[in-house]
């Protein structure tokens, strides 16, 4: 008798697995190609199983993806002034968005909820505690700058072109240009 290897039990479906698989599809094939059926196939489950974790269906999935790339956390440890904290938050946000350019449009259009809203509140509190007067206005300006800068970098990289073979949304000059604009914005916020 031939011993057959034991079948591995299926990996339990979780919101984290669903979001990871959805990000993989969105980044590799584009957001338009992300369907519940395709996601179910990637997870090796029936599409209906996904609704157990996302009862509102695709709309809830889109919210979860936007939250995933915008719920950036940065601890204040080792960051002296509000300028250092603002830079750390902006850099972390840029990194998160460039890691998943397939969902950038969601980050730009979905209102912050859950962990993303908590991260924005935390950012404002950290800036306020570090001595910045109108921290709420500063956070709005920083978010607008980061989102706009990343959108331009993704556009310049050619990543979104359906005929392109570009795998990375970053450009050669993207970080330098980002830092230059961030310095100008932080200088303006300090006035």
């Amino acid at each position: 008798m031939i011993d057959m290897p034991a079948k591995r039990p299926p990996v339990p479906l979780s919101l984290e697995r669903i979001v990871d698989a959805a990000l993989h599809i969105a980044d590799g094939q584009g957001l338009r190609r992300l369907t519940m059926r395709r996601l179910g196939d990637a997870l090796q489950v029936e599409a209906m199983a996904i609704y157990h974790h996302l009862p509102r269906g695709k709309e809830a999935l889109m919210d979860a993806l936007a939250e995933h790339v915008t719920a950036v956390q940065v601890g204040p440890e080792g960051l002296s002034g509000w300028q250092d904290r603002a830079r750390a938050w902006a850099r972390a946000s840029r990194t998160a968005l460039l890691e998943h350019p397939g969902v950038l449009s969601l980050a730009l259009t979905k209102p912050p909820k859950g962990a993303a809203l908590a991260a924005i509140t935390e950012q404002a509190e950290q800036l306020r505690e570090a001595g910045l007067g109108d921290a709420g206005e500063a956070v709005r300006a920083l978010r607008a700058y980061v989102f706009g800068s990343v959108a331009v970098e993704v556009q310049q990289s050619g990543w979104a072109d359906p005929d392109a073979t570009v795998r990375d949304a970053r450009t050669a000059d993207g970080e330098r240009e980002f830092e230059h604009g961030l310095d100008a914005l932080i200088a303006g916020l300090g006035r």
Side-chain angles (χ1 to χ4, degrees):
M1 186 165 128
I2 298 175
D3 285 334
M4 296 295 288
K7 271 192 165 182
R8 284 185 152 169
V11 178
L13 193 58
S14 66
L15 182 57
E16 182 180 337
R17 275 191 66 218
I18 293 168
V19 169
D20 286 346
L23 286 169
H24 183 75
I25 293 168
D27 291 338
Q29 301 175 31
L31 202 52
R32 280 178 270 178
R33 304 267 306 159
L34 176 58
T35 64
M36 296 305 256
R37 178 173 289 168
R38 184 167 281 125
L39 182 56
D41 289 346
L43 293 164
Q44 297 179 335
V45 300
E46 292 293 323
M48 291 306 294
I50 297 167
Y51 288 89
H52 174 73
H53 297 277
L54 297 164
R56 289 187 6 255
K58 192 161 183 184
E59 188 63 29
L61 177 61
M62 298 299 117
D63 288 344
L65 294 175
E67 183 175 339
H68 180 83
V69 297
T70 58
V72 174
Q73 293 293 323
V74 175
E77 301 81 25
L79 302 172
S80 55
W82 68 264
Q83 296 90 340
D84 288 344
R85 292 178 186 192
R87 279 187 180 84
W89 279 93
R91 290 172 181 149
S93 295
R94 175 179 179 264
T95 297
L97 291 167
L98 285 172
E99 283 177 1
H100 299 292
V103 295
L104 177 60
S105 63
L106 295 175
L108 292 169
T109 58
K110 292 278 186 185
K113 296 177 183 175
L117 190 56
I120 291 168
T121 302
E122 174 67 20
Q123 182 181 9
E125 287 173 9
Q126 283 187 23
L127 294 178
R128 195 173 298 107
E129 289 170 4
L132 184 60
D134 194 351
E137 184 177 309
V139 169
R140 283 187 295 281
L142 286 162
R143 285 175 52 84
Y145 172 70
V146 170
F147 286 6
S149 175
V150 169
V152 168
E153 188 169 356
V154 168
Q155 181 186 45
Q156 289 176 342
S157 74
W159 182 90
D161 182 349
D163 298 326
T165 57
V166 176
R167 292 266 186 237
D168 191 0
R170 300 172 195 273
T171 62
D173 294 328
E175 187 170 353
R176 182 187 53 76
E177 292 170 354
F178 176 80
E179 291 293 331
H180 180 73
L182 183 58
D183 287 344
L185 175 57
I186 288 174
L189 293 172
R191 290 184 196 159

